[in-house]
Amino acid sequence: DKDTIILASTTSTQNSGLFDHILPKFEEASGTKVNVVAVGTGAALKLARNGDADVLMVHHKKSEEQFVTDGYGVERFDLMHNDFVIIGPESDEANLSQMKSVTDALKAIVLSNKIFVSRGDDSGTHKREIELWQLANIAEDQKNTKWYREAGAGMGATLNVAIGMNAYTLTDRATWVSFKNKQSHKILFEGDPNLFNQYGIILVNPEKFPHIKAQAGQKFIDWMLSKQGQKAIASYKLEGQQLFTPDAISGDLSN
Amino acid sequence: MNDIWEALLKAVSLVLTLDTDLLEIVGLSLQLSLTAVGISLLIGLPLAALLALTKFPGRKILIVATNVFMGLPPVVVGLIVYVILSRSGPLGVLGLLFTPTAMVIAQVILVIPIVTAISRQVLEDYHQEYDELLTSLGVSKMRRISALLWDARFALTTAGLAGFGRAASEVGAVMIVGGNIDHLTRVMTTAIALESRKGDLVMALALGIVLITLALGINLAAYLITETAKRRYAA
Amino acid sequence: MNDIWEALLKAVSLVLTLDTDLLEIVGLSLQLSLTAVGISLLIGLPLAALLALTKFPGRKILIVATNVFMGLPPVVVGLIVYVILSRSGPLGVLGLLFTPTAMVIAQVILVIPIVTAISRQVLEDYHQEYDELLTSLGVSKMRRISALLWDARFALTTAGLAGFGRAASEVGAVMIVGGNIDHLTRVMTTAIALESRKGDLVMALALGIVLITLALGINLAAYLITETAKRRYAA
Amino acid sequence: MSFSTKSIMPLTLENISYLAGHKKLLKNISCQFEAGNRYVILGPNGAGKSLLLRMCHGLIQPSEGQVRWHDTSRKDAAKYQAMVSQRTVMLRRSAYGNIDFALKARNIHKSARPDIIDRVIKRTGLGRVINEPARVLSLGEQQRLAIARAWALSPQVLFLDEPTASLDPPATHAIEELIQEISAEGTTVIMTSHDLGQSKRLATDAIFMFRGHLKEMAPAEQFFTQPTNDLAQAFINGELIWWQRRPDSDQAQATCTTLETEK
Amino acid sequence: MSFSTKSIMPLTLENISYLAGHKKLLKNISCQFEAGNRYVILGPNGAGKSLLLRMCHGLIQPSEGQVRWHDTSRKDAAKYQAMVSQRTVMLRRSAYGNIDFALKARNIHKSARPDIIDRVIKRTGLGRVINEPARVLSLGEQQRLAIARAWALSPQVLFLDEPTASLDPPATHAIEELIQEISAEGTTVIMTSHDLGQSKRLATDAIFMFRGHLKEMAPAEQFFTQPTNDLAQAFINGELIWWQRRPDSDQAQATCTTLETEK
Ligand SMILES: Nc1ncnc2c1ncn2[C@@H]1O[C@H](COP(=O)(O)OP(=O)(O)OP(=O)(O)O)[C@@H](O)[C@H]1O
Ligand SMILES: Nc1ncnc2c1ncn2[C@@H]1O[C@H](COP(=O)(O)OP(=O)(O)OP(=O)(O)O)[C@@H](O)[C@H]1O
Ligand SMILES: [Mg+2]
Ligand SMILES: [Mg+2]
């Protein structure tokens, strides 16, 4: 019906529980229901390109901008960010926790002969990971299956693999904090500016697809970018940690 | 291993507390699977009978095809149904994507081959015995099909149960065409996949246990009914 | 809809160029599925025969159980095998997780029920005819099982093919216990799931088409062999 | 019993042969069956009697030659025939349900069926078991049920493959009387029998088969008193001519009668 | 043929009954079968003859009462018996394979089997079809194969349920001779037959059954000349005493003989 929109998003936002926290607030405020279809970043973009979603919310700026340029999206807005972290076994044989920069950390993994599990699925996280390897000057041909394993899966599944293999991996903080199967793994490296992770939100272009519920979709985007929405994002905490930092409005959200 | 015991406890507590979310998901799962199996039986059984008892050009090809299609990867079926139901696809105007209907369509595609292949095998063995009698009596093709299906009905429950098993356990296709939308298209298997992605293995296993228990209930009912009826009809 | 035509073209070109990555994946898929079906037949057929022809306490429960287990959700099976094989699990020391062996184990668990349930149904019908003769001849239980399996071998191919279908098409379990690791545990279905995650529907569908073509080849071979043999033995 | 006025007889076999694999099981048989007669086909086990009946009835197709009904296609002729096969096949229904199904298949109206069923059931002595599942009946009861089922269809031609093989003597006697009666109403009966006494009592015409050949076809009186074929003669005399393995050729006819039976 | 010295005879039935559902199909039967005799069980279709044979042979279990072999458990006794059932069942193998399988089941050594098979095949006239799939054989050939298969096992007790029902007359004669021979070697034969002539030729003892009751068991000579049971008398005279539906009680015995056969 008219008051339902489909939001194509990534598994990381869904798995973290963010939507369960903010969507009820929006639905209460607007009377519009948001149905979340959480898939890989690539698949989410494809869904939106086919006109099967009204609003797109992913975290790969380049693809998002391309999406708008190609005429599929109306306009892209920065919505929020969090950061990537490297997790690994508590024993930390590669000594990641001592490293100063993310490039040092990655080199340390290679030197230690420990296993690194890559998403390997062309997702936003995976693309960032590739950029980081380049920054660390680790060439493609140095990555062999002895230590570099492409899981070809979503974040959660990749975490399950890394934990099962006693290996390192790159993940976004939100997914990690909300992840339940941590066993003896923990965050070993964080805080490098290169680990910044930006989420954007886009309304699918109703000129391209007449059936798009532009009005309701715009209402959702407006709300998300509004003080109310941004506050809702900021207030989502898990285990005492804030998982996403809203960044659509500069300044204080407290009133 | 502890996870498995924890999961068992969790499953019991989920069921005992009659968790409303769980009830909703279980209800949808059951409804979709049973609908899909029902439709698949309506199509698959006559098709199986046709394959078992008539010789027509293309019959052998169809037999091999049903066997092949038993191995249709759910993800592929999901993608094909997606492509067709997508707004930019031929049936996009119907707006069926991400609805329970789309999920039933995908499941029907997955279930028909298995129902047809198993039934065909059973019916072929029955038909070998009946063929000459039915020909001698001059039974029309339609009545021949219905007679065979009727007489083999107890043996055919296995086909129905295999079909139900496939429909209820499948995740790849319903995930794609349903979208695993909370309160709308979330079923047991997609919920399990979600929990496993979240790393909540205990919850995932608990849901799995609930699902299997459900299947157990249905199978038990089917078994008891057919066994009783079998005895009555000495079939 | 265009996607589907594109995928067909892509599939043809993939096969024609003999893409080495594809060959590797296809090879592993075939190897794992056939191994899993082989093991499942070794276990499932005698079990089915036992269920079809002997009356022992717990038989009915086992029959219902095999029917129920036909509906085991692959994700759940994957999780259980994961929990058992994981480092902290009871069999963690074997280091089998994320190896092809783990994938075969998961597939065997998925395939045994379907092989057993279908075979049981077929064998029951055969046994009804043979029972008194075999009893009269004083045939031992072991030989009875082997005789029934032998005489019903053509009818049992359906069970084997259904098992192969399940093994070759399943993704949920092998994804979890195999990890879909490139060059190590990536098979056709996990590759398809990956491409679909990436949004590359054309590639995903193309791989699906290749997989189905593969299954077609195996089914065709099985069909031709049994049909020829059937005619020879007039069975 | 009333027939539609159209008659499908005579039935003509034109040089038919039947092959299974590379074996020729029926060999160049030509003959004609006339309306109203009672034909009894005789011959040793494996001679091809059942195959010939099934061929006439349309259950198997000739590999060579033609099966022709008067003025009627084989397909149309089918609904004027009925058959009791040697190995009875019972549907997984009650005895009553088996006959009812057969009548339904011939489009006999629901209201007419109970009377017909009642009559054939009484006449074949199945009253006590009419509501039992047909497949648990004793073999003799099943054979009676098969006869009842075929007779209920009021066929113009009735094929009977050893219809009394499993019947008790009084039942055999009663079925023989029934066959006479059915025949008297105009139905052509084509049957096999291993009971020479029965054959003599029932046959108006006798046919002798041997290894796929139709060796002799003659009026019963003539056949049973002086068969022209020496194999037929040996058979009637109870000689075990076909017992030993021997080349399967037409010369067999010339040499076989000189064989002794093996003890 | 040589037997192990241990004899499982006599066979004793102690007040056995057999129920299927709520129907009592065998009713309080007590009797004893002695070694070396040839018992022929007579009675109308559906009397319970086949059930009785199957009960003796251990294929069905008594609902009440006991089946006892001399000094041997029922299970052990099984391997000294063989049976030809009324509806032949053929394994999906060649005729040869069917006999070979039976011998294998009795643990007869591979090297000994071909000779045994050759002998029984020759004697039952199956030489021509020995390599054919057993299930395409004509019914008569199948019945001969079933006899060959049972005989090959050299049983102490041989159960035959209408063994010649589908055989041609010379074959019937040959099988009767075979039965006499087998019996002469000490084998106990317990058979049913609807052929009164055959029964008189073969039986040393006759048994008459009616509606699940064993009505009479007597030496053959006495039974066929002056049966004490009036139903048995009527049966031998070919009267259709059980044709009509009638209350299934023991009083039937008193009233039935006065019935006329329905025409
Ligand atoms: N499909 C088949 N393939 C090979 N041989 C066959 C097939 N069908 C029948 N036969 C053979 O054909 C011969 C004739 O069979 P048929 O059943 O007509 O014999 P019959 O004369 O009716 O014998 P009976 O008196 O035993 O009933 C038999 O020797 C049988 O083995
Ligand atoms: N499982 C069963 N359930 C119900 N009735 C049965 C069952 N088995 C046999 N009967 C009935 O028991 C009766 C005796 O059967 P049985 O086969 O022993 O007869 P029979 O004396 O051998 O007859 P025939 O001369 O026809 O071979 C039959 O009336 C049959 O319908
Ligand atoms: Mg015949
Ligand atoms: Mg009987």
Side-chain angles (χ1 to χ4, degrees):
Chain A
D1 57 323
K2 242 191 155 152
D3 292 313
T4 314
I5 58 167
I6 289 175
L7 169 63
S9 185
T10 63
T11 45
S12 56
T13 35
Q14 184 185 49
N15 295 358
S16 67
L18 175 69
F19 291 131
D20 296 334
H21 178 71
I22 59 173
L23 291 183
K25 296 183 199 290
F26 168 68
E27 283 163 10
E28 196 183 331
S30 66
T32 298
K33 179 146 180 19
V34 181
N35 286 330
V36 181
V37 176
V39 289
T41 302
L45 283 159
K46 176 80 183 174
L47 276 184
R49 277 177 189 264
N50 280 343
D52 294 320
D54 303 297
V55 178
L56 176 67
M57 180 178 145
V58 289
H59 61 141
H60 192 251
K61 198 161 180 176
K62 234 169 81 187
S63 318
E64 293 164 35
E65 282 166 348
Q66 188 64 45
F67 181 78
V68 176
T69 313
D70 291 348
Y72 289 100
V74 178
E75 192 186 349
R76 178 190 178 280
F77 301 95
D78 276 346
L79 176 66
M80 62 189 186
H81 68 264
N82 66 356
D83 61 343
F84 294 111
V85 296
I86 300 179
I87 60 125
E90 230 162 24
S91 53
D92 191 19
E93 275 125 331
N95 249 327
L96 247 57
S97 44
Q98 309 300 320
M99 298 300 148
K100 295 267 173 342
S101 69
V102 65
T103 48
D104 287 352
L106 291 178
K107 280 181 203 149
I109 294 173
V110 181
L111 289 175
S112 71
N113 264 330
K114 293 284 142 195
I115 295 173
F116 181 89
V117 179
S118 162
R119 286 281 291 271
D121 65 346
D122 276 354
S123 59
T125 309
H126 183 221
K127 284 174 176 157
R128 172 55 59 89
E129 179 217 311
I130 291 172
E131 290 163 20
L132 292 174
W133 285 114
Q134 281 166 354
L135 277 178
N137 276 321
I138 307 290
E140 272 307 301
D141 55 11
Q142 277 176 270
K143 296 182 192 162
N144 59 52
T145 52
K146 265 219 175 77
W147 65 274
Y148 186 82
R149 306 272 169 87
E150 288 194 27
M155 195 67 254
T158 304
L159 287 175
N160 279 329
V161 172
I163 284 154
M165 283 187 168
N166 219 25
Y168 295 91
T169 193
L170 180 79
T171 170
D172 65 283
R173 185 184 296 275
T175 303
W176 177 251
V177 172
S178 60
F179 193 70
K180 299 262 177 42
N181 185 30
K182 294 193 180 85
Q183 298 192 17
S184 64
H185 271 53
K186 59 181 213 179
I187 296 177
L188 295 174
F189 185 85
E190 59 188 323
D192 190 303
N194 277 319
L195 294 178
F196 186 73
N197 181 24
Q198 177 69 51
Y199 286 84
I201 192 163
I202 308 172
L203 178 69
V204 179
N205 197 347
E207 282 168 25
K208 201 104 184 171
F209 303 106
H211 65 267
I212 291 290
K213 290 167 184 152
Q215 231 175 346
Q218 191 60 50
K219 199 159 57 169
F220 175 61
I221 293 176
D222 289 346
W223 186 85
M224 288 289 276
L225 299 175
S226 74
K227 204 163 183 174
Q228 259 178 308
Q230 297 279 295
K231 258 165 79 176
I233 293 170
S235 68
Y236 181 54
K237 291 203 174 73
L238 213 63
E239 293 173 13
Q241 291 187 56
Q242 180 178 334
L243 295 189
F244 296 93
T245 310
D247 51 15
I249 314 176
S250 50
D252 188 13
L253 289 172
S254 60
N255 45 51
Chain B
M1 209 56 183
N2 260 346
D3 287 341
I4 295 180
W5 302 130
E6 263 185 64
L8 268 172
L9 282 177
K10 180 107 185 184
V12 171
S13 90
L14 274 178
V15 171
L16 288 186
T17 57
L18 283 175
D19 186 289
T20 49
D21 271 6
L22 182 70
L23 283 183
E24 189 186 334
I25 296 176
V26 165
L28 187 61
S29 276
L30 263 187
Q31 190 194 326
L32 295 190
S33 303
L34 291 178
T35 311
V37 172
I39 296 173
S40 302
L41 288 175
L42 280 180
I43 301 171
L45 287 180
L47 179 60
L50 214 65
L51 289 175
L53 60 74
T54 58
K55 297 216 179 337
F56 55 89
R59 171 176 165 271
K60 293 182 178 193
I61 295 168
L62 255 174
I63 289 180
V64 174
T66 54
N67 284 341
V68 171
F69 288 162
M70 279 197 291
L72 275 181
V75 176
V76 174
V77 170
L79 287 177
I80 291 172
V81 174
Y82 167 78
V83 167
I84 290 167
L85 295 185
S86 155
R87 286 292 175 172
S88 3
L91 299 183
V93 284
L94 301 179
L96 290 177
L97 196 63
F98 305 133
T99 64
T101 310
M103 298 162 83
V104 169
I105 293 173
Q107 288 195 335
V108 165
I109 297 176
L110 285 168
V111 174
I112 283 181
I114 198 160
V115 164
T116 308
I118 301 180
S119 310
R120 196 208 88 236
Q121 187 59 56
V122 170
L123 291 173
E124 237 170 44
D125 289 339
Y126 275 71
H127 188 241
Q128 220 174 20
E129 189 191 347
Y130 280 9
D131 188 11
E132 293 209 342
L133 173 64
L134 296 179
T135 306
S136 168
L137 295 177
V139 178
S140 70
K141 192 158 292 179
M142 287 303 289
R143 192 167 278 143
R144 198 180 261 252
I145 289 176
S146 68
L148 259 166
L149 290 175
W150 177 252
D151 276 27
R153 63 197 181 281
F154 301 119
L156 291 175
T157 46
T158 301
L161 292 174
F164 175 77
R166 176 139 220 204
S169 71
E170 183 285 317
V171 59
V174 293
M175 184 68 108
I176 292 175
V177 302
N180 189 26
I181 297 170
D182 206 7
H183 301 302
L184 195 63
T185 57
R186 181 160 301 164
V187 290
M188 291 298 286
T189 55
T190 58
I192 292 170
L194 178 60
E195 295 304 330
S196 120
R197 281 204 310 242
K198 289 190 193 168
D200 196 344
L201 303 194
V202 171
M203 186 64 173
L205 283 174
L207 289 174
I209 292 165
V210 173
L211 176 55
I212 294 171
T213 313
L214 213 70
L216 179 69
I218 291 199
N219 275 278
L220 218 53
Y223 185 80
L224 292 178
I225 293 171
T226 51
E227 281 302 298
T228 317
K230 240 187 206 169
R231 211 158 314 125
R232 163 132 15 118
Y233 295 102
Chain C
M1 209 54 183
N2 261 346
D3 286 340
I4 293 180
W5 303 130
E6 264 185 64
L8 267 172
L9 282 177
K10 181 106 184 184
V12 172
S13 90
L14 273 178
V15 171
L16 289 184
T17 58
L18 284 174
D19 187 289
T20 49
D21 271 6
L22 181 70
L23 283 183
E24 189 185 332
I25 296 177
V26 165
L28 187 61
S29 276
L30 264 186
Q31 191 194 325
L32 294 190
S33 304
L34 291 178
T35 311
V37 172
I39 296 173
S40 303
L41 288 174
L42 280 180
I43 301 170
L45 288 180
L47 179 60
L50 214 64
L51 290 174
L53 59 76
T54 57
K55 297 216 179 340
F56 55 89
R59 171 176 164 272
K60 293 183 179 191
I61 294 169
L62 255 174
I63 289 180
V64 174
T66 55
N67 284 341
V68 171
F69 288 162
M70 279 198 291
L72 275 182
V75 176
V76 174
V77 171
L79 286 177
I80 291 172
V81 175
Y82 175 89
V83 167
I84 290 170
L85 295 185
S86 98
R87 297 276 160 194
S88 42
L91 298 183
V93 284
L94 300 179
L96 290 177
L97 200 60
F98 307 123
T99 64
T101 310
M103 299 163 82
V104 170
I105 293 173
Q107 289 195 334
V108 165
I109 297 176
L110 286 169
V111 173
I112 284 181
I114 198 160
V115 164
T116 308
I118 301 180
S119 310
R120 198 208 85 237
Q121 188 59 57
V122 169
L123 291 173
E124 237 170 45
D125 290 338
Y126 275 71
H127 188 241
Q128 220 173 21
E129 190 192 346
Y130 280 8
D131 189 12
E132 293 209 342
L133 173 64
L134 297 180
T135 307
S136 167
L137 295 177
V139 179
S140 69
K141 192 158 290 178
M142 286 305 287
R143 192 167 278 142
R144 198 179 259 254
I145 289 176
S146 67
L148 259 166
L149 290 175
W150 176 253
D151 277 26
R153 63 196 180 281
F154 301 119
L156 291 175
T157 47
T158 301
L161 292 174
F164 175 77
R166 177 140 220 206
S169 70
E170 182 285 317
V171 59
V174 293
M175 184 69 110
I176 291 175
V177 302
N180 186 27
I181 296 165
D182 204 7
H183 303 302
L184 218 56
T185 56
R186 182 159 301 165
V187 290
M188 291 297 286
T189 53
T190 58
I192 292 169
L194 173 58
E195 295 304 331
S196 120
R197 281 190 59 78
K198 289 186 189 170
D200 193 347
L201 301 195
V202 171
M203 186 64 174
L205 284 173
L207 289 175
I209 292 165
V210 173
L211 176 55
I212 293 170
T213 312
L214 214 69
L216 179 68
I218 290 197
N219 275 277
L220 218 54
Y223 185 79
L224 292 178
I225 293 170
T226 52
E227 282 303 298
T228 318
K230 239 188 207 166
R231 212 159 312 126
R232 163 130 16 117
Y233 294 102
Chain D
M1 306 237 162
S2 67
F3 296 123
S4 77
T5 43
K6 177 180 182 180
S7 169
I8 59 170
M9 296 299 283
L11 160 66
T12 317
L13 305 190
E14 286 173 10
N15 199 31
I16 59 127
S17 293
Y18 180 72
L19 278 93
H22 293 294
K23 277 180 83 174
K24 210 169 191 176
L25 299 174
L26 292 179
K27 295 165 188 160
N28 307 85
I29 295 180
S30 298
C31 62
Q32 181 156 329
F33 297 89
E34 305 290 344
N37 289 358
R38 294 185 301 274
Y39 295 88
V40 176
I41 306 173
L42 298 166
N45 295 133
K49 305 179 294 297
S50 297
L51 285 177
L52 187 69
L53 281 196
R54 285 158 68 205
M55 174 83 70
C56 291
H57 189 40
L59 300 180
I60 55 177
Q61 306 309 319
S63 310
E64 297 159 23
Q66 296 272 347
V67 177
R68 256 194 243 291
W69 295 94
H70 173 67
D71 230 15
T72 324
S73 73
R74 268 195 108 184
K75 191 150 178 270
D76 288 343
K79 52 179 168 296
Y80 300 101
Q81 310 165 37
M83 174 155 177
V84 174
S85 58
Q86 196 172 8
R87 205 178 243 272
T88 55
V89 175
M90 291 293 140
L91 300 175
R92 287 166 177 78
R93 296 151 198 241
S94 67
Y96 187 96
N98 264 272
I99 305 177
D100 193 58
F101 180 86
L103 292 172
K104 203 159 45 178
R106 296 282 167 106
N107 296 318
I108 289 169
H109 192 268
K110 198 166 187 150
S111 60
R113 287 183 233 146
D115 285 349
I116 301 178
I117 298 175
D118 196 51
R119 186 165 52 92
V120 299
I121 281 291
K122 274 229 183 80
R123 188 59 199 273
T124 49
L126 289 168
R128 289 178 69 227
V129 295
I130 188 66
N131 292 315
E132 300 293 321
R135 295 169 78 90
V136 305
L137 297 185
S138 82
L139 198 58
E141 289 166 340
Q142 286 189 20
Q143 196 161 35
R144 271 141 61 169
L145 179 54
I147 295 169
R149 189 169 61 188
W151 176 37
L153 302 178
S154 308
Q156 276 189 33
V157 185
L158 182 60
F159 295 98
L160 302 167
D161 202 352
E162 308 221 18
T164 62
S166 301
L167 300 194
D168 62 56
T172 302
H173 181 69
I175 294 299
E176 283 183 17
E177 282 182 341
L178 177 61
I179 292 172
Q180 298 271 19
E181 255 173 66
I182 294 173
S183 160
E185 283 165 6
T187 298
T188 310
V189 173
I190 305 179
M191 63 184 282
T192 67
S193 178
H194 283 309
D195 183 336
L196 288 178
Q198 176 174 85
S199 304
K200 284 178 194 156
R201 285 191 294 277
L202 289 179
T204 60
D205 293 84
I207 294 165
F208 179 71
M209 290 190 71
F210 184 74
R211 291 194 186 170
H213 291 282
L214 192 157
K215 289 288 183 193
E216 184 162 359
M217 182 169 188
E221 190 138 352
Q222 179 189 327
F223 179 86
F224 286 112
T225 51
Q226 35 180 309
T228 54
N229 184 279
D230 44 3
L231 284 165
Q233 189 154 22
F235 181 79
I236 294 174
N237 294 339
E239 287 175 32
L240 219 50
I241 41 175
W242 36 80
W243 210 234
Q244 280 186 303
R245 188 179 178 88
R246 74 188 31 253
D248 187 11
S249 73
D250 282 342
Q251 272 71 55
Q253 184 173 346
T255 60
C256 273
T257 43
T258 62
L259 287 176
E260 287 177 82
T261 61
E262 190 204 19
K263 281 278 160 79
Chain E
M1 308 237 159
S2 65
F3 297 123
S4 78
T5 44
K6 177 180 181 179
S7 170
I8 60 169
M9 296 300 284
L11 160 65
T12 317
L13 305 190
E14 286 174 9
N15 201 29
I16 60 127
S17 293
Y18 181 71
L19 278 95
H22 293 295
K23 277 179 83 174
K24 209 169 191 175
L25 299 174
L26 292 180
K27 294 164 189 161
N28 307 84
I29 295 180
S30 299
C31 62
Q32 181 156 330
F33 297 90
E34 304 291 343
N37 289 357
R38 293 186 300 275
Y39 294 90
V40 176
I41 306 173
L42 298 166
N45 294 133
K49 305 180 293 298
S50 297
L51 285 177
L52 187 69
L53 281 196
R54 287 159 66 207
M55 174 82 71
C56 291
H57 188 41
L59 300 180
I60 55 177
Q61 306 308 320
S63 310
E64 296 160 23
Q66 297 272 344
V67 177
R68 255 193 243 290
W69 295 93
H70 173 66
D71 229 14
T72 325
S73 75
R74 266 195 110 184
K75 191 149 178 268
D76 287 342
K79 53 179 169 297
Y80 300 100
Q81 309 165 38
M83 174 154 177
V84 173
S85 59
Q86 197 171 8
R87 206 179 242 271
T88 56
V89 176
M90 291 294 140
L91 301 174
R92 287 166 177 79
R93 294 152 199 240
S94 67
Y96 187 96
N98 265 273
I99 304 177
D100 194 57
F101 179 86
L103 292 171
K104 204 159 46 181
R106 296 281 169 106
N107 296 318
I108 289 168
H109 193 269
K110 197 166 188 150
S111 60
R113 287 183 232 146
D115 285 350
I116 301 179
I117 298 175
D118 195 52
R119 186 167 50 93
V120 299
I121 280 292
K122 275 228 183 81
R123 188 61 198 273
T124 49
L126 290 168
R128 289 178 70 229
V129 295
I130 187 68
N131 292 314
E132 301 292 322
R135 295 169 79 90
V136 306
L137 297 185
S138 83
L139 198 58
E141 289 166 339
Q142 286 189 20
Q143 195 161 36
R144 272 142 61 168
L145 181 53
I147 294 168
R149 189 169 60 189
W151 178 37
L153 302 177
S154 308
Q156 277 189 32
V157 185
L158 182 58
F159 294 98
L160 303 166
D161 202 352
E162 307 221 17
T164 63
S166 300
L167 299 194
D168 61 58
T172 302
H173 181 69
I175 295 298
E176 283 182 18
E177 281 181 341
L178 177 61
I179 292 172
Q180 298 271 19
E181 257 173 67
I182 295 173
S183 160
E185 284 164 5
T187 299
T188 310
V189 174
I190 304 180
M191 63 184 283
T192 67
S193 179
H194 283 310
D195 181 337
L196 287 180
Q198 175 173 84
S199 305
K200 283 178 194 156
R201 284 190 295 276
L202 289 180
T204 60
D205 292 83
I207 294 164
F208 180 71
M209 291 191 67
F210 184 74
R211 290 192 185 170
H213 291 281
L214 192 158
K215 289 289 182 194
E216 184 162 0
M217 183 169 188
E221 191 139 351
Q222 180 188 325
F223 179 85
F224 287 113
T225 50
Q226 34 178 312
T228 53
N229 184 278
D230 44 3
L231 285 165
Q233 188 153 24
F235 180 78
I236 294 174
N237 295 338
E239 288 174 31
L240 220 49
I241 42 176
W242 36 80
W243 211 235
Q244 280 187 303
R245 190 181 175 86
R246 87 180 25 254
D248 187 11
S249 71
D250 283 340
Q251 272 70 55
Q253 184 174 343
T255 59
C256 276
T257 43
T258 63
L259 286 177
E260 288 177 81
T261 63
E262 190 202 19
K263 282 276 162 80

